[in-house]
Amino acid sequence: MTNEAFQQLLQGGVVLLDGATGTNLQQAGMPIGVCPEQWILENRDVMIDLQRRFVEAGSQILYAPTFTGNRLKLAEYGLDDQLGAINQGLVAISKEAAQGKALVAGDMTMTGQQLYPMGELTFDGLVDVYREQAQALYDAGVDLFIVETMMSLQETRACVLAIKEVCDLPIMATLTFEKDGRTLYGTPPEAAVVVLQNLGVDAVGLNCSTGPADMVETVRKMYEYATIPLIAKPNAGLPELDGDKTVYKTTPEEFAQDGRLLIEAGAHIVGGCCGTTPDHIRALHEAVCRLTPKAPHASHHRVLASERQVVEIKLDGSFQVIGERINPTGKKKLQAELRAGKLDMVRAMAREQERNGASILDVNMGTNGIDEKEMMLKAIYEVTGVSGLPLSIDTSSPDIMEAALRIYPGRALVNSISCETEKRKKLLPVVKKYGAMFIALPVSDNGIPKTLEEKHAVLDELLADAYDHGFSPEDVVVDALVATVGAAPTSALDCMATFSHCKQDLGLATVCGLSNISFGLPDRIYVNATFLGMAIASGLTMAIANPSQDLLMNTAAAANMLMNKEGSDLAYIHRMQYFDKKEAERKRQEEAELLASHGTAGAVETAGESQDAEQGPVNPVYQAVLEGEKAAVVALAQQELAHCMAG
């Protein structure tokens, strides 16, 4: 089936999926604990009868019963060597049941094994597992793919990439969400939509977990960011125990009534998960078949995402900072740590920059004496473990960039792609494949432009190439190329002209390396802060800067407020409260150090006790766990245990 045919199906109105497989098969006699794929092959008539009844009830897409037909799950039953035959046999069953009246989707889900760094399974190892099953399903003749009941966004990414590396059939993907509105691994619905639609799936949504009414709010949140159709496949309510049996008590009529709410909230493709029978699907079909689903948004938000949050970049929104600290250039201590294979400072810098107000974290591992690729991948794992902020991947190597984008569990910002022929030729397809945004650097094969007009001409050439590769203005952030005002007196004015041109004429976000403006000048912070205020007024969207520089961050907060940016008044007040608290802590530390230098140890202890009295003592083991300091947890726990035993 081609994507064009899938779109034609969607243009017909609400698309109806099938209902539950597992609970219906258990009702038909499938024992608990058996390999479901093997049981279905041995009892194929039961499956054919069930799926034919779904088609008669109105299902337009059947899920082939290949749910756990991957190598790792089949190995639990000693059947991994039969993967190809099992998947192909199961697809054949669904095709026989469909009789050409419904499409057959190859069904894939989680393997049950933890991904690195929580487990031993590497990302590429997982892609290999999924690729095997995807190839078997493709060879069996499925019409499209469904990646469903996913609890991890990263594992969903692995499965989607595996399918796309096998074929170009349409891909639907659904995750399950807990009562707190997030997946088991902490992903909110907005992040799931942003990451997966930019990765190239054709429809995205949620299944299982709850009944239809409890899915409505999640669908609404997804719809806000969706440029592709949304899927909702709820259970027949929450499972309940009836004696020793698990039952689902939502009736077909109740299920159908609440199913209408899902369409009104933004769902385009609906069906049923656990506990739903052909009667539920028939009632749902009658309730929604005449409804007109809401169209997805024509253009997507300018937004980045980590596995745990989204950061929206608005042309008229508040100015934002990309934290520049995780970069060994000019940092001898960090260079030494990286050469020693340590990332303690990297984790600390990530936490500190997030506390100080950064919205995005730039990660650069370019220094001599290390394997940059290996260290970049390690840094991504470490930083995502201690911070929920999206990342800006900063490397001059296309190979390292691809390796980093492949394992990053979100939508990253690429820093950067220039107009140099070889670099853009290599990088644009890679960035598109992994669904990232990128910083456009107007530098050509002839080097840095000498005039403002030349800079804008180079930018136009780079943008034209990017748009030909399928990017949109919302995927691009333009670097204004800040030169030092000490050498080029019109540098600041030229940059402000670029900020204004990009925002007003091209509809593009902008960024700059803020501190470049003052290179070689005394008291640089004042030049930087003044330039920042002027640049924000000219349309600058964000800057790569050090968020621990309070004058810069306070200036940005004040500029946002003076320009009446949404929410900037309260943001300014909160920023000042944070600044006052930070200043008070700095003074307390200075006083403690002064007392210590005079040998007044008791006074130092009293100062510490005073702070504890205000804030409450923090257990060091708890703090280490909270901050992701795995190496320190054991030692601190042993210290605490020894202290308790001694007490």
Side-chain angles (χ1 to χ4, degrees), residues 119-130:
E120 299 298 321
L121 183 61
T122 67
F123 185 80
D124 276 333
L126 180 59
V127 172
D128 288 342
V129 169
Y130 283 136

Side-chain angles (χ1 to χ4, degrees), residues 326-601:
I326 305 175
N327 186 330
T329 304
K331 302 183 182 75
K332 292 183 178 179
K333 287 185 178 180
L334 179 55
Q335 291 172 9
E337 271 215 354
L338 296 180
R339 291 184 187 119
K342 293 183 176 181
L343 291 164
D344 295 12
M345 287 184 67
V346 167
R347 292 193 301 273
M349 287 173 172
R351 290 192 297 264
E352 179 189 20
Q353 290 182 108
E354 183 170 11
R355 283 196 300 268
N356 286 329
S359 298
I360 302 158
L361 299 177
D362 193 75
V363 178
N364 183 308
M365 291 287 110
T367 191
N368 295 328
I370 66 169
D371 182 328
E372 184 185 351
K373 179 178 177 180
E374 178 185 6
M375 199 57 71
M376 173 64 83
L377 300 184
K378 287 183 177 179
I380 289 173
Y381 284 125
E382 293 293 333
V383 173
T384 54
V386 299
S387 172
L389 296 182
L391 299 189
S392 166
I393 310 298
D394 189 355
T395 176
S396 59
S397 166
D399 291 339
I400 295 173
M401 182 64 73
E402 176 160 20
L405 291 175
R406 190 168 179 83
I407 63 121
Y408 179 60
R411 189 186 194 212
L413 178 66
V414 167
N415 185 9
S416 55
I417 300 179
S418 72
C419 199
E420 295 165 283
T421 305
E422 286 304 312
K423 288 187 177 179
R424 76 186 192 197
K425 183 179 179 181
K426 290 180 180 178
L427 281 173
L428 284 173
V430 168
V431 176
K432 185 63 180 175
K433 175 180 179 179
Y434 295 102
M437 289 179 64
F438 73 92
I439 294 175
L441 190 67
V443 173
S444 70
D445 293 326
N446 297 321
I448 297 174
K450 296 179 176 59
T451 65
L452 179 63
E453 292 74 19
E454 184 184 348
K455 178 167 66 174
H456 289 182
V458 172
L459 175 61
D460 289 342
E461 182 182 349
L462 177 54
L463 291 173
D465 198 0
Y467 297 157
D468 285 345
H469 278 81
F471 291 97
S472 70
E474 290 78 20
D475 301 319
V476 183
V477 181
V478 176
D479 191 321
L481 281 180
V482 176
T484 175
V485 73
T490 64
S491 175
L493 296 174
D494 287 347
C495 284
M496 285 182 273
T498 298
F499 300 146
S500 178
H501 170 62
C502 287
K503 179 180 178 181
Q504 302 299 334
D505 302 332
L506 304 178
L508 295 169
T510 49
V511 69
C512 70
L514 190 67
S515 61
N516 294 348
I517 194 70
S518 63
F519 185 78
L521 295 174
D523 298 320
R524 296 176 62 186
I525 186 64
Y526 300 110
V527 178
N528 295 346
T530 304
F531 175 59
L532 175 59
M534 297 169 66
I536 293 173
S538 299
L540 177 64
T541 314
M542 61 181 72
I544 301 171
N546 182 356
S548 66
Q549 294 181 338
D550 292 318
L551 180 57
L552 289 181
M553 300 301 288
N554 294 348
T555 298
N560 285 333
M561 180 178 63
L562 293 172
M563 293 189 68
N564 195 30
K565 303 285 189 180
E566 183 180 355
S568 59
D569 46 0
L570 289 177
Y572 176 79
I573 292 171
H574 293 155
R575 172 69 201 175
M576 291 303 102
Q577 290 173 338
Y578 172 77
F579 175 67
D580 290 344
K581 183 178 179 181
K582 186 176 175 183
E583 278 292 286
E585 174 60 18
R586 182 184 61 79
K587 289 178 180 179
R588 189 199 69 77
Q589 289 180 348
E590 287 179 353
E591 291 170 359
E593 290 170 3
L594 180 63
L595 291 170
S597 68
H598 287 81
T600 323

